[in-house]
């Protein structure tokens, strides 16, 4: 095993208190595979991917994330349940304990960029105690070339030690695991959790702070692709709305599947890879993801078929949140570099289990900002314990857990960019039609694809539109490849009075959810709210 490291870089680690006998610096995937096997951190699958377990944590622990509240962050961060405050003194105490733990440990260190656009890149140094998590960083961030590495000076440092835990009572935190973000010292600490997504989302939160605040760039939790004519499309949507499926188009190149920035001239991916769910994965459903699971990819918390090294993607004995991490170049139609022009079309995807929202509708700037802040979808009976009827779910900007700033900050930048560009914003309901869940039926994927294709190809520009009575959105009366009766949701319900009651019910849920943002919203954003009283008059 080689002992890696440039002396000046080792000195950099010493300067932040890390003193280790063995530092493996910027190892290649092949070298990290050797380390993973040597340390018994994972197993090889028959496709060449490596399979690992993330131990007790099979997902993020958002309630155990804290942001240091100091002079810099006190008046800029959106404090509350999403961004819980921790004092600089407590951070320093945990940091000191973590540094002591790392003394003389074997460490894997790598350097990478967050952001494909060089103008807005964040230089990050990752310090890992596990080789497979260092491979995860190789996959999920953009790797500098040899020349860039020689002069690399990190702007942010992530230290991740899954084995390191603290006494929560001593430090006034919930549990022994933690994710701490210090925006003044430019350090993220992750301890007690083996879930590598904490690293990825920690840096995403940092980008969500600096880009809008310092650069006027809209940071977005979305996927993006680009057509043959250079037209960029952006897809927002919470889990279960079809964001990954609908953005994976064989006729368009994938810019990225999760995190992007919108500048005055471009859309750019923050990441160098994809982090996809693989529960019940098949080649027929998701061929791009299936074929990407090869040497260099990391499968998390999956299991083999008995007596084989073949992964059984239906096996959820560990978790339903089984995932794979792989670099973008594992995707045949990935855009290189992962940058596109400013978007021509934006799609807000929602799975409306109430059967109220149109399958596709066009939004004006006020409506776009309102729906962006709302971030709506609905859970249905059977998805979680205790859910027996449709349940509205709202996540600000389709990613509230990663927003250091108030949601209206991002919404206002979205509104400004809409006004400065010729962009269409569409609300797409991939959920129910003809009635709510239990009565109606799920919108067919072929119809949703046809509507998105029609929007992308400009086929909805010259058709007649009608305004929704409650939500005020513009609904096309015709769309190629889609039965016209599906386009106006009230027409798919047998009982029109019941539809209006349900529309009013959903509108009230939207408006109730928005109350916590209303004091920070301007008149244009508020104008995008549904008018539930109109529905009441019709009942």
């Amino acid at each position: 095993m080689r002992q890696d490291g440039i002396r000046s870089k080792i000195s950099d680690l010493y300067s932040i208190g890390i003193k280790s006998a063995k530092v493996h610096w910027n190892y290649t995937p092949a070298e990290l595979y050797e380390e993973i096997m040597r340390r018994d951190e994972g197993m090889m699958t028959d496709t060449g991917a490596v399979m690992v377990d993330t131990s007790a944590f099979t997902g993020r622990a958002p309630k155990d994330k804290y942001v240091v509240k100091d002079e810099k962050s006190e008046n800029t961060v959106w404090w509350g349940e999403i961004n819980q405050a921790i004092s600089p003194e407590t951070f320093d105490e945990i940091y000191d304990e973590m540094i002591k733990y790392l003394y003389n440990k074997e460490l894997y260190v790598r350097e990478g960029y967050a952001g494909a656009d060089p103008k807005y890149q964040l230089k990050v140094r990752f310090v890992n105690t596990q080789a497979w998590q260092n491979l995860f960083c190789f996959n999920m961030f953009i790797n500098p070339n040899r020349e860039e590495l020689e002069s690399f000076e990190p702007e942010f440092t992530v230290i991740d030690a899954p084995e390191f835990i603290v006494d929560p009572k001593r430090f006034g935190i919930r549990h022994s695991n933690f994710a701490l973000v210090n925006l003044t010292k430019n350090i993220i600490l992750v301890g007690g959790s083996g879930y590598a997504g904490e690293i990825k989302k920690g840096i995403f939160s940092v980008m969500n702070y600096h880009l809008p605040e310092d650069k006027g760039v809209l940071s977005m939790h979305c996927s993006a692709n680009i057509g043959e004519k250079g037209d960029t499309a952006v897809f927002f949507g919470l889990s279960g709305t079809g964001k990954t499926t609908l953005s994976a188009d064989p006729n368009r190149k994938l810019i990225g599947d999760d995190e992007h920035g919108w500048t005055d001239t471009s859309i750019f991916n923050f990441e160098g890879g994809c982090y996809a769910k693989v529960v019940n994965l098949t080649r027929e459903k998701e061929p791009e993801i299936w074929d990407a699971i090869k040497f260099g990819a990391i499968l998390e918390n999956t299991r083999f078929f008995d007596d084989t090294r073949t992964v059984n993607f239906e096996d959820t004995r560990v978790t339903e949140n089984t995932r794979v991490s792989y670099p973008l170049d594992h995707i045949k139609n990935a855009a290189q570099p992962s940058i596109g022009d400013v978007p021509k079309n934006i799609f807000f995807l929602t799975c409306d289990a109430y059967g109220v929202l149109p399958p596709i509708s066009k939004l004006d700037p006020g409506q776009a900002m309102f729906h962006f802040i709302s971030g709506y979808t609905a859970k249905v009976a059977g998805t979680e314990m205790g859910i027996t009827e449709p349940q509205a779910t709202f996540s600000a900007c389709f990613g509230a857990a990663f927003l250091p700033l108030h949601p209206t900050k991002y919404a206002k930048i979205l509104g400004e960019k809409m006004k400065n560009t010729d962009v269409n914003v569409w609300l797409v309901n991939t959920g129910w039609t003809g009635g709510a869940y239990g009565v109606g039926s799920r919108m067919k994927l072929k119809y949703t694809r046809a509507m998105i294709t029609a929007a992308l190809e400009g086929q909805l520009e010259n058709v007649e539109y009608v305004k929704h009575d409650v939500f005020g959105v513009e609904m096309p009366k015709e769309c190629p490849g889609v039965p016209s009766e599906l386009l106006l949701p009230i027409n798919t319900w047998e009982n029109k009075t019941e539809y209006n009651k349900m529309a009013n019910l959903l509108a009230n849920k939207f408006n109730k959810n928005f109350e916590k943002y209303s004091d920070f919203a301007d008149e244009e954003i508020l104008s995008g709210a549904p008018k539930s009283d109109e529905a009441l008059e019709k009942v």
Side-chain angles (χ1 to χ4, degrees):
M1 186 200 314
R2 64 175 174 145
Q3 177 63 37
D4 231 356
I6 303 171
R7 288 189 179 277
S8 61
K9 291 182 179 289
I10 295 293
S11 298
D12 286 347
L13 291 184
Y14 272 50
S15 70
I16 60 173
I18 296 177
K19 297 179 181 179
S20 172
K22 293 182 179 179
V23 179
H24 307 295
W25 212 287
N26 291 314
Y27 266 24
T28 65
E31 290 170 315
L32 288 171
Y33 260 58
E34 292 175 352
E35 294 296 300
I36 292 167
M37 300 307 153
R38 177 180 68 85
R39 293 163 55 95
D40 198 26
E41 292 180 1
M43 301 175 70
M44 286 279 287
T45 73
D46 59 7
T47 67
V50 66
M51 189 172 80
V52 303
D53 279 359
T54 63
S55 300
F57 289 87
T58 58
R60 290 183 305 102
K63 293 183 179 180
D64 298 313
K65 171 191 168 187
Y66 301 87
V67 180
V68 174
K69 191 173 187 176
D70 57 18
E71 185 176 339
K72 179 176 183 177
S73 63
E74 183 174 9
N75 296 317
T76 53
V77 167
W78 177 38
W79 299 108
E81 291 184 2
I82 301 298
N83 299 294
Q84 302 175 99
I86 192 170
S87 71
E89 293 76 19
T90 300
F91 176 89
D92 289 345
E93 289 180 27
I94 295 176
Y95 179 87
D96 289 344
E97 291 296 315
M98 198 169 190
I99 292 301
K100 290 178 184 176
Y101 171 80
L102 295 177
Y103 179 76
N104 218 30
K105 290 285 190 300
E106 189 171 22
L107 300 178
Y108 298 86
V109 182
R110 79 174 321 98
E111 295 152 324
Y113 299 118
D117 188 329
K119 295 180 182 177
Y120 305 102
Q121 283 178 335
L122 181 71
K123 297 178 180 179
V124 187
R125 178 171 288 160
F126 304 93
V127 180
N128 305 105
T129 59
Q130 295 189 356
W132 83 261
Q133 291 202 337
N134 201 248
L135 178 60
F136 178 90
C137 295
F138 176 91
N139 287 349
M140 298 311 303
F141 295 90
I142 299 167
N143 294 290
N145 59 36
R146 185 177 296 274
E147 183 178 346
E148 291 169 329
L149 283 174
E150 290 178 359
S151 59
F152 193 96
E153 295 184 7
E155 299 165 290
F156 229 92
T157 299
V158 179
I159 305 174
D160 190 300
E163 313 87 357
F164 175 72
I165 58 174
V166 297
D167 178 359
K169 291 182 180 179
R170 174 185 171 189
F171 296 107
I173 59 178
R174 274 183 9 114
H175 292 139
S176 57
N177 62 290
F178 56 86
L180 311 181
V181 181
N182 192 320
L183 296 167
T184 297
K185 293 188 174 181
N186 295 339
I187 295 174
I188 293 175
L189 304 179
V190 181
S193 171
Y195 187 66
E198 296 283 13
I199 302 171
K200 164 184 152 68
K201 290 305 184 186
I203 290 299
F204 184 40
S205 296
V206 170
M207 298 290 275
N208 283 339
Y209 180 83
H210 284 295
L211 289 180
E213 191 75 1
D214 302 334
K215 308 287 187 180
V217 172
L218 177 60
S219 53
M220 306 177 292
H221 186 215
C222 66
S223 58
N225 62 27
I226 186 168
E228 294 179 357
K229 297 180 180 179
D231 59 300
T232 300
V234 170
F235 299 80
F236 291 92
L238 301 177
S239 179
T241 59
K243 181 180 67 170
T244 300
T245 299
L246 292 169
S247 62
D249 187 330
N251 298 315
R252 299 174 65 84
K253 290 188 175 182
L254 181 70
I255 298 174
D257 76 335
D258 200 39
E259 303 171 5
H260 294 83
W262 183 353
T263 76
D264 291 338
T265 58
S266 70
I267 293 287
F268 68 95
N269 191 359
F270 289 173
E271 302 182 294
C274 298
Y275 193 37
K277 291 182 179 179
V278 294
V279 63
N280 298 322
L281 178 71
T282 65
R283 172 170 270 146
E284 292 70 29
K285 287 181 182 178
E286 301 284 356
E288 292 85 3
I289 296 175
W290 182 276
D291 291 339
I293 302 175
K294 55 188 179 181
F295 180 85
I298 307 168
L299 285 162
E300 294 181 353
N301 302 311
T302 53
R303 288 294 180 264
F304 296 128
F305 286 105
D306 290 344
D307 302 320
T308 75
R309 288 296 180 95
T310 301
V311 178
N312 179 1
F313 291 106
E314 295 181 359
D315 190 332
T316 58
R317 76 182 78 173
V318 179
T319 178
E320 289 198 0
N321 189 35
T322 52
R323 287 185 176 267
V324 63
S325 161
Y326 52 84
L328 270 174
D329 61 17
H330 281 205
I331 299 285
K332 290 181 180 178
N333 66 332
Q336 293 291 344
S338 49
I339 302 175
D341 290 336
V342 294
K344 295 289 186 184
N345 291 280
I346 297 173
F347 298 94
F348 295 160
L349 306 176
T350 180
C351 177
D352 177 26
Y354 295 89
V356 168
L357 294 177
I360 189 166
S361 54
K362 198 171 185 179
L363 310 184
D364 64 29
Q367 292 166 341
M369 288 186 281
F370 179 88
H371 282 273
F372 183 58
I373 293 174
S374 297
Y376 165 71
T377 192
K379 297 176 182 178
V380 297
T383 56
E384 290 184 11
M385 291 287 289
I387 297 179
T388 57
E389 59 183 27
Q391 185 179 96
T393 300
F394 298 93
S395 181
C397 307
F398 299 94
F402 321 118
L403 303 183
L405 308 177
H406 195 279
T408 53
K409 174 78 173 182
Y410 305 94
K412 288 176 181 177
I413 297 177
L414 173 66
E416 291 168 2
K417 291 191 178 297
M418 283 185 65
K419 292 171 185 175
N420 294 331
T421 56
D422 184 22
V423 62
N424 298 309
V425 180
W426 308 91
L427 181 64
V428 175
N429 175 19
T430 64
W432 270 256
T433 181
Y437 173 82
V439 176
S441 58
R442 187 82 187 259
M443 185 65 62
K444 292 182 179 179
L445 179 59
K446 69 175 183 178
Y447 292 148
T448 302
R449 286 194 183 278
M451 287 181 278
I452 288 178
T453 298
L456 291 171
E457 295 180 355
Q459 295 174 329
L460 299 182
E461 291 181 1
N462 299 314
V463 301
E464 184 181 354
Y465 284 80
V466 61
K467 189 181 292 290
H468 193 281
D469 287 336
V470 177
F471 282 85
V473 296
E474 296 285 345
M475 304 176 291
K477 296 182 71 173
E478 57 182 292
C479 176
V482 181
S484 58
E485 60 267 22
L486 288 179
L487 297 172
L488 307 183
I490 193 171
N491 291 343
T492 68
W493 284 54
E494 290 186 10
N495 189 320
K496 306 299 189 277
T497 300
E498 289 300 316
Y499 174 82
N500 285 322
K501 286 182 179 179
M502 191 65 78
N504 179 69
L505 173 69
L506 183 58
N508 284 336
K509 290 181 181 294
F510 266 87
N511 292 331
K512 179 68 176 176
N513 171 72
F514 204 82
E515 287 177 359
K516 55 181 171 285
Y517 309 121
S518 58
D519 289 344
F520 299 89
D522 59 26
E523 290 185 8
E524 186 173 26
I525 295 175
L526 295 173
S527 72
K531 308 298 187 291
S532 56
D533 286 344
E534 295 181 20
L536 282 171
E537 294 171 4
K538 293 176 180 292
V539 175

